[in-house]
Amino acid sequence: MLNFDELRELAADVRVFVDVAEDKAEALRSVIRAYDVVLAIFPSGDGMGLHVIKGKDILDKIAKSCTHAIYSHTAIAVPDLEHAEALKYLTTPPEQRIAA
């Protein structure tokens, strides 16, 4: 079960890390590389929207097996779903973009 307060706190930590970095794009890429699962969070009509930036295969395996798994995760706040999709596209290696 997702804890939205935890996701908000993680996204705030990521925001601070990126804000203090000299190269903000590289800082964001570093965050995404460092975690198994990265979720984009954004405001939506129902409260909070979610989009998987990285780790969909891990989440699918957990859902299909109905078990718990240990994985690292974080969240990145974006303004909307379009920005979440763009972030996913821009941080996916080119060879994987073609397969998707």
Side-chain angles (χ1 to χ4, degrees):
M1 180 126 182
L2 290 173
N3 180 333
F4 292 119
D5 290 330
E6 177 195 8
L7 293 177
R8 286 184 190 100
E9 289 176 21
L10 291 170
D13 290 344
V14 169
R15 180 179 298 120
V16 169
F17 176 75
V18 171
D19 283 348
V20 299
E22 190 171 312
D23 184 342
K24 296 181 184 341
E26 181 54 34
L28 194 53
R29 285 190 295 269
S30 294
V31 167
I32 293 170
R33 280 192 305 266
Y35 291 90
D36 298 321
V37 174
V38 179
L39 299 172
I41 63 172
F42 52 90
S44 75
D46 298 336
M48 181 188 297
L50 297 171
H51 186 72
V52 178
I53 299 297
K54 177 183 173 189
K56 182 181 180 315
D57 54 332
I58 293 170
L59 297 176
D60 287 345
K61 286 178 188 175
I62 293 169
K64 289 177 184 172
S65 68
C66 296
T67 62
H68 296 284
I70 297 175
Y71 62 91
S72 62
H73 67 282
T74 195
I76 298 171
V78 296
D80 52 38
L81 178 59
E82 292 77 24
H83 281 82
E85 291 170 338
L87 182 59
K88 179 178 182 175
Y89 179 79
L90 292 171
T91 58
T92 301
E95 61 275 5
Q96 291 179 358
R97 288 183 206 157
I98 296 168

